[in-house]
C-alpha cells in the first residue's frame, strides 16, 4: 500500500470517532501538519471529509454514500427486508442481519427493538464468532475442514462467564447448531442480552447470512426466548425463499 493512501485511510479512521483538528490528526498519524493538510484537502475535494467551522474536520457525505451503496449491493439485505422488518414489528425485539467476513461477524442490517435497552451493535460493526448466535450460524454452515480451520484461528476472548473459551467446545456447539438449524447466544457476548439466530439461504442452499433476534434478559427469560425460535426460523425461511431458496421450509436446512 502506498504511504499516502495508508495515511489517508488512517485520517478517515481517526475521524470515525468524531470531529478532530489538524493538530489532532497530525499527532495521530505522526507526521507534520502540512502533510495532513494536503491529505485533507484532497479528501475534502472528493467529499470524503468536510470542514466544520474553522478548526475541525469530520467525515463527509461521499463516505456514507459509498457505504450505503455497498450495503445495497448485498442482495440478501434487500431480499430479507420484508420478512425481518415484519418480524421486528410483530415481536418488538431487535433483529439483526449479519454476514461472515475475514474471521468476524459483520452486521449488515438492523431493526431496532421497541424496548428501552439498546444493543451495542450498529450496521457495519464487527463482532466475534464464538460468542454470537449469528457467528455460530455462519461458521456451522461451512464445510467441516473450513469450520475446523476457522474455529482453531479464533482468539477465544471471554466476555461473560458463559462465553465459549476454546475451539473444542466451539466445534461441539457448531455441531448442535448444524443439527437443530438455529443457534443461541445465552448471554455469551453481553451478560444482559441473549439471542437466537437462524440461517438465510440462497438458491443453491448456501448460507448467505444469519438473522437474529436479541432480547434483554430482564424482559424475557431463557424459556421465553426459546419460545420465539419458531418465529425466527420461519422468518429466516421466508427471507431465504425471497433469496431464491427452494429447500425444506420446516427445518430451515
Amino acid at each position: 500500500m502506498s504511504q499516502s493512501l495508508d495515511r489517508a485511510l488512517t485520517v478517515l479512521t481517526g475521524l470515525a470517532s468524531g470531529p478532530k483538528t489538524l493538530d489532532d490528526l497530525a499527532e495521530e498519524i505522526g507526521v507534520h501538519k502540512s502533510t495532513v493538510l494536503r491529505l485533507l484537502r484532497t479528501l475534502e475535494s472528493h467529499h470524503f471529509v468536510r470542514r466544520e467551522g474553522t478548526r475541525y474536520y469530520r467525515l463527509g457525505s461521499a463516505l456514507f454514500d459509498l457505504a450505503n451503496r455497498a450495503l445495497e449491493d448485498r442482495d440478501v439485505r434487500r431480499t430479507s427486508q420484508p420478512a425481518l422488518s415484519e418480524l421486528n414489528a410483530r415481536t418488538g425485539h431487535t433483529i439483526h442481519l449479519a454476514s461472515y467476513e475475514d474471521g468476524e461477524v459483520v452486521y449488515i442490517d438492523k431493526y431496532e427493538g421497541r424496548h428501552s435497552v439498546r444493543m451495542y451493535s450498529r450496521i457495519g460493526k464487527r463482532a466475534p464468532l464464538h460468542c454470537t448466535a449469528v457467528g455460530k450460524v455462519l461458521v456451522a454452515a461451512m464445510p467441516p475442514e473450513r469450520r475446523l480451520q476457522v474455529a482453531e484461528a479464533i482468539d477465544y476472548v471471554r466476555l461473560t462467564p458463559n462465553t465459549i473459551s476454546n475451539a473444542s467446545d466451539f466445534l461441539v456447539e457448531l455441531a448442535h447448531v448444524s443439527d437443530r438449524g438455529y443457534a443461541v447466544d445465552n448471554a455469551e457476548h453481553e451478560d444482559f442480552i441473549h439471542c437466537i439466530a437462524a440461517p438465510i439461504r440462497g438458491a443453491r442452499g448456501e448460507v448467505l447470512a444469519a438473522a437474529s433476534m436479541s432480547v434483554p434478559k430482564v424482559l424475557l427469560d431463557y424459556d421465553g426466548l426459546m419460545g420465539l425460535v419458531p418465529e425466527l426460523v420461519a422468518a429466516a425461511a421466508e427471507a431465504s425463499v425471497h433469496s431464491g431458496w427452494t429447500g425444506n421450509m420446516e427445518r430451515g436446512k
Side-chain angles (χ1 to χ4, degrees):
M1 183 185 298
S2 75
Q3 189 176 59
S4 294
L5 177 58
D6 183 64
R7 287 171 175 170
L9 292 173
T10 304
V11 166
L12 293 174
T13 302
L15 291 174
S17 60
K20 293 189 177 178
T21 66
L22 183 62
D23 289 335
D24 293 334
L25 293 168
E27 183 179 352
E28 200 166 297
I29 300 174
V31 297
H32 195 272
K33 287 191 291 184
S34 62
T35 301
V36 179
L37 185 58
R38 285 196 298 272
L39 291 172
L40 287 168
R41 284 174 175 167
T42 301
L43 291 168
E44 189 178 9
S45 70
H46 292 279
H47 305 291
F48 284 99
V49 165
R50 67 180 177 87
R51 249 179 297 195
E52 188 174 77
T54 57
R55 297 186 61 233
Y56 288 91
Y57 292 85
R58 65 163 59 243
L59 295 178
S61 59
L63 198 63
F64 302 114
D65 180 52
L66 280 178
N68 284 327
R69 285 159 61 185
L71 285 170
E72 288 301 328
D73 191 48
R74 297 191 183 223
D75 286 345
V76 66
R77 185 172 184 257
R78 184 171 59 253
T79 55
S80 299
Q81 191 273 334
L84 299 189
S85 62
E86 197 279 331
L87 178 66
N88 166 252
R90 188 171 67 251
T91 65
H93 298 311
T94 300
I95 306 299
H96 292 106
L97 182 67
S99 63
Y100 174 88
E101 187 174 300
D102 298 330
E104 293 179 295
V105 165
V106 179
Y107 293 105
I108 58 176
D109 213 347
K110 179 180 182 180
Y111 303 85
E112 196 71 67
R114 292 196 294 268
H115 44 72
S116 60
V117 180
R118 289 291 179 261
M119 311 291 117
Y120 90 107
S121 59
R122 64 175 183 271
I123 296 174
K125 191 171 181 65
R126 293 171 176 267
L129 296 168
H130 66 292
C131 56
T132 55
V134 285
K136 294 175 186 179
V137 165
L138 294 167
V139 182
M142 296 176 180
E145 288 186 8
R146 177 63 176 152
R147 187 190 298 183
L148 176 62
Q149 182 183 37
V150 170
E152 291 182 339
I154 290 173
D155 180 14
Y156 288 88
V157 176
R158 194 151 200 171
L159 300 177
T160 79
N162 291 350
T163 304
I164 293 173
S165 59
N166 60 75
S168 179
D169 289 346
F170 187 51
L171 289 167
V172 170
E173 176 71 4
L174 295 179
H176 293 322
V177 172
S178 181
D179 182 59
R180 68 193 177 205
Y182 67 90
V184 180
D185 159 12
N186 184 16
E188 299 165 48
H189 189 209
E190 298 176 279
D191 58 10
F192 61 96
I193 299 287
H194 49 192
C195 178
I196 50 178
I200 295 177
R201 298 179 181 273
R204 300 184 303 278
E206 76 280 19
V207 172
L208 302 173
S212 70
M213 181 187 297
S214 300
V215 188
K217 292 164 63 178
V218 296
L219 293 183
L220 195 66
D221 63 14
Y222 185 80
D223 289 340
L225 181 69
M226 291 300 97
L228 292 172
V229 167
E231 285 198 66
L232 175 68
V233 170
E238 181 184 345
S240 297
V241 169
H242 290 299
S243 299
W245 182 63
T246 58
N248 184 336
M249 288 195 61
E250 181 181 351
R251 293 226 24 207
K253 298 177 73 176

